[in-house]
Amino acid sequence: MEDLEREYHKILADYVKEQSERTLYIGQNFVRQLIRRNISPEDVVSLHKDAVETIYPAQFDELRLAYDFLIEMMVHYGMAMREHQSLLQKQAEIQMEMNIAANVQKTMLKTPIPSDMTIDIGMLSKPLKNVNGDYVHFIDDKKYISVAVTDVVGKGVPAALCMSMVKFGLESMEEYAHDPEHVLGVLNRIVERNVDDSMFISMFYGCYLREWGLFYYASAGHEPAFLYRAEENKFYDLEAKGMLLGIVPTTKYKRSEVLLEDGDIIVIVTDGVTEFRRDDTVDERQVVASLIHDVKGLPAQSICEYLYSELEEMQEFELKDDFSVVVIKKV
Amino acid sequence: MEITINFKEEKEILHVLVKGEIDAYTAPKLRDKLDAIEIEEKANIAIDLSEVTYIDSTGLGVFVAFYKRATRETAHVRLVGLSERIKRLFEITGLSDLMDIDTDKKVELS
């Protein structure tokens, strides 16, 4: 510290004598040295105080109290500053971990979209935050294509952790993938056993039989899917009552079915798509149906993207929930 | 949006009157209030939602957890005064088959 005192005294004395650019430059370098040696703000003021006292011994008594006060202030300033810096650092660490988690999840929840001569499938799933509480899972078999659209209560990390459980459950049951009642029944028991009372998952599970053009489905407390009938130019709800996953371990699920004709479209969504208003003034499902109708001629993937961009715009580009949509179009 | 929760005991029924929107921000307050209720065996509890305009999935979770706790204590929970929109939410999720739900009842808080 003594060497610093000597050095600062010289720099200040030089500057008082002759206000040159060179002295300012030396001052700048001196600051770097202070930072390198981790000198606190109050010690810097103290250095200045001692140097002023040596240079202006006669006038200094009047200023002493003011300097002491400033040193006290700087002690608190330094503490607040260090606390702030440590919070910033912690925040950066958390953000980095979140980014890694989001990437892990992205890789883990990746699901290839099946294709077929008779149907065109599109899918879009966007998380509200870094990680997604929605999940879409496809199973592509020679005879059928299965799709599960899932929404975990809540958003962010807790929902994402829960989602991994659903993915592994679905993957471990691939031989039953053509059986919605069975899949939902097993998942329900897994979820019920592993989550707390306030947590649950909704799922719409559908299966398309390639040869027959038949789509059958069951729902665990999920929003009804939309069915557009091309011949009638009309929308229907694919209602399928069933309890949310994770509430009652003995729940049984029921299947319903619909035969798809050319041009028919099934749109499966999560509530992030249809819950964009908090009041009763607008029938949100009607709005979504009318958007689908506007672009029914486009490829399935384009319909998904159109829905996302229109609904995002309606909410002034601030979606309030994870957003997932699957479009299945009979061609 | 704020939420208020009031209690009133009348004819051996505990009425819980909820007012406001129940979402991820207000649900913890509702959960704390409901958690604080000491549920006695075979108690009757009516949760009045006639002044609730919106419930999201986090809010549903609070009711499910409370319902499960009450059932373990052999108490009976009814949800009353649900708007059409909120009733539909309970129907879609299958919870209306599990819970006792009534859309008309309304209790005046004196």
Side-chain angles (χ1 to χ4, degrees):
Chain A
M1 197 69 184
E2 264 179 44
D3 55 328
L4 289 177
E5 273 170 26
R6 270 197 306 278
E7 205 173 327
Y8 185 71
H9 179 199
K10 186 173 182 317
I11 298 169
L12 184 64
D14 286 351
Y15 187 78
V16 168
K17 204 160 106 195
E18 173 184 20
Q19 295 82 47
S20 72
E21 284 290 324
R22 189 170 170 277
T23 317
L24 280 176
Y25 176 73
I26 294 170
Q28 272 175 24
N29 285 333
F30 182 74
V31 167
R32 290 202 186 95
Q33 208 188 136
L34 293 177
I35 289 170
R36 259 200 315 275
R37 289 176 59 173
N38 215 7
I39 305 296
S40 65
E42 64 270 22
D43 285 342
V44 176
V45 176
S46 190
L47 274 180
H48 184 69
K49 180 189 157 197
D50 292 346
V52 172
E53 190 175 5
T54 319
I55 298 169
Y56 303 103
Q59 297 102 308
F60 190 73
D61 269 350
E62 285 171 37
L63 294 171
R64 185 183 306 280
L65 285 175
Y67 271 107
D68 289 346
F69 181 74
L70 182 58
I71 289 170
E72 276 304 311
M73 290 292 97
M74 284 297 116
V75 170
H76 297 290
Y77 177 85
M79 278 193 305
M81 183 88 152
R82 282 190 288 277
E83 197 182 356
H84 181 70
Q85 274 166 346
S86 121
L87 283 178
L88 281 181
Q89 196 183 346
K90 269 190 201 140
Q91 198 182 25
E93 281 166 14
I94 291 171
Q95 189 56 48
M96 203 156 80
E97 276 183 22
M98 281 297 294
N99 291 343
I100 296 169
N103 274 332
V104 169
Q105 198 202 26
K106 226 185 235 167
T107 316
M108 194 164 68
L109 300 188
K110 205 182 268 175
T111 182
I113 302 174
S115 59
D116 189 276
M117 296 291 282
T118 61
I119 52 167
D120 172 23
I121 302 177
M123 189 273 278
L124 184 147
S125 183
K126 296 238 185 203
L128 175 73
K129 298 179 184 170
N130 279 2
V131 286
N132 206 336
D134 285 356
Y135 175 51
V136 178
H137 184 86
F138 289 107
I139 288 164
D140 192 358
D141 185 85
K142 275 198 291 278
K143 292 187 180 150
Y144 61 84
I145 292 168
S146 286
V147 56
V149 176
T150 317
D151 185 0
V152 178
V153 61
K155 305 162 189 74
V157 176
L161 287 174
C162 206
M163 194 50 72
S164 314
M165 182 167 67
V166 173
K167 180 206 159 81
F168 299 131
L170 283 169
E171 282 192 345
S172 64
M173 281 188 284
E174 285 206 352
E175 68 267 39
Y176 295 104
H178 57 283
D179 188 346
E181 305 97 299
H182 180 85
V183 171
L184 290 179
V186 173
L187 280 177
N188 178 52
R189 288 195 292 278
I190 297 178
V191 175
E192 204 273 335
R193 231 174 286 159
N194 292 289
V195 300
D196 75 56
D197 282 354
S198 64
M199 196 99 179
F200 49 74
I201 295 171
S202 77
M203 181 181 284
F204 185 96
Y205 195 99
C207 188
Y208 173 78
L209 285 184
R210 295 177 190 268
E211 197 180 338
W212 301 92
L214 184 75
F215 184 83
Y216 56 93
Y217 56 95
S219 165
H222 199 84
E223 175 99 7
F226 295 84
L227 169 66
Y228 171 73
R229 285 294 201 191
E231 203 179 279
E232 298 169 63
N233 191 27
K234 208 173 154 185
F235 278 90
Y236 293 91
D237 281 347
L238 288 187
E239 294 264 14
K241 276 195 93 176
M243 178 71 73
L244 290 162
L245 301 175
I247 312 261
V248 182
T250 52
T251 306
K252 298 260 184 288
Y253 295 91
K254 267 190 266 172
R255 126 180 4 188
S256 308
E257 60 181 42
V258 55
L259 193 63
L260 296 183
E261 308 289 348
D262 289 356
D264 287 355
I265 305 171
I266 288 175
V267 180
I268 312 164
V269 298
T270 53
D271 60 9
V273 178
T274 46
E275 272 197 14
F276 51 87
R277 290 287 292 252
R278 286 195 169 199
D279 49 47
D280 280 330
T281 53
V282 178
D283 182 347
E284 295 138 310
R285 286 186 64 87
Q286 196 74 51
V287 172
V288 175
S290 125
L291 289 173
I292 298 167
H293 190 263
D294 289 347
V295 290
K296 59 184 191 296
L298 293 182
Q301 190 60 35
S302 309
I303 298 177
C304 296
E305 278 151 24
Y306 177 76
L307 279 179
Y308 181 76
S309 69
E310 287 295 309
L311 290 167
E312 194 191 27
E313 198 180 325
M314 272 182 212
Q315 293 170 74
E316 284 153 3
F317 302 97
E318 270 188 38
L319 294 176
K320 288 163 193 74
D321 200 353
D322 301 328
F323 183 109
S324 299
V325 53
V326 171
V327 171
I328 300 171
K329 198 174 168 188
K330 183 89 164 66
V331 286
Chain B
M1 182 77 189
E2 259 306 298
I3 186 175
T4 59
I5 301 129
N6 287 300
F7 298 96
K8 184 188 177 188
E9 201 150 2
E10 198 180 68
K11 293 176 196 154
E12 300 199 342
I13 299 175
L14 175 65
H15 296 278
V16 184
L17 293 107
V18 190
K19 197 174 175 179
E21 292 183 354
I22 309 172
D23 58 19
Y25 298 101
T26 60
K29 185 174 172 188
L30 177 64
R31 186 178 52 227
D32 290 349
K33 291 272 185 180
L34 292 180
D35 279 355
I37 299 177
E38 279 183 32
I39 302 176
E40 288 168 15
E41 259 182 56
K42 301 210 166 51
N44 271 307
I45 301 163
I47 304 179
D48 188 331
L49 300 177
S50 49
E51 303 279 332
V52 172
T53 48
Y54 174 84
I55 299 182
D56 77 353
S57 54
T58 321
L60 279 184
V62 173
F63 290 117
V64 170
F66 182 68
Y67 173 84
K68 285 188 167 185
R69 181 163 77 96
T71 307
R72 280 195 291 272
E73 300 294 333
T74 67
H76 183 73
V77 177
R78 282 174 77 208
L79 298 181
V80 299
L82 284 73
S83 70
E84 273 307 306
R85 185 185 167 100
I86 291 171
K87 191 176 151 224
R88 184 171 171 270
L89 184 64
F90 277 88
E91 280 169 355
I92 286 174
T93 51
L95 293 173
S96 55
D97 291 345
L98 179 75
M99 298 160 108
D100 185 354
I101 284 168
D102 180 355
T103 50
D104 299 314
K105 182 95 172 67
K106 194 180 173 185
V107 179
E108 291 299 323
L109 183 69
S110 50

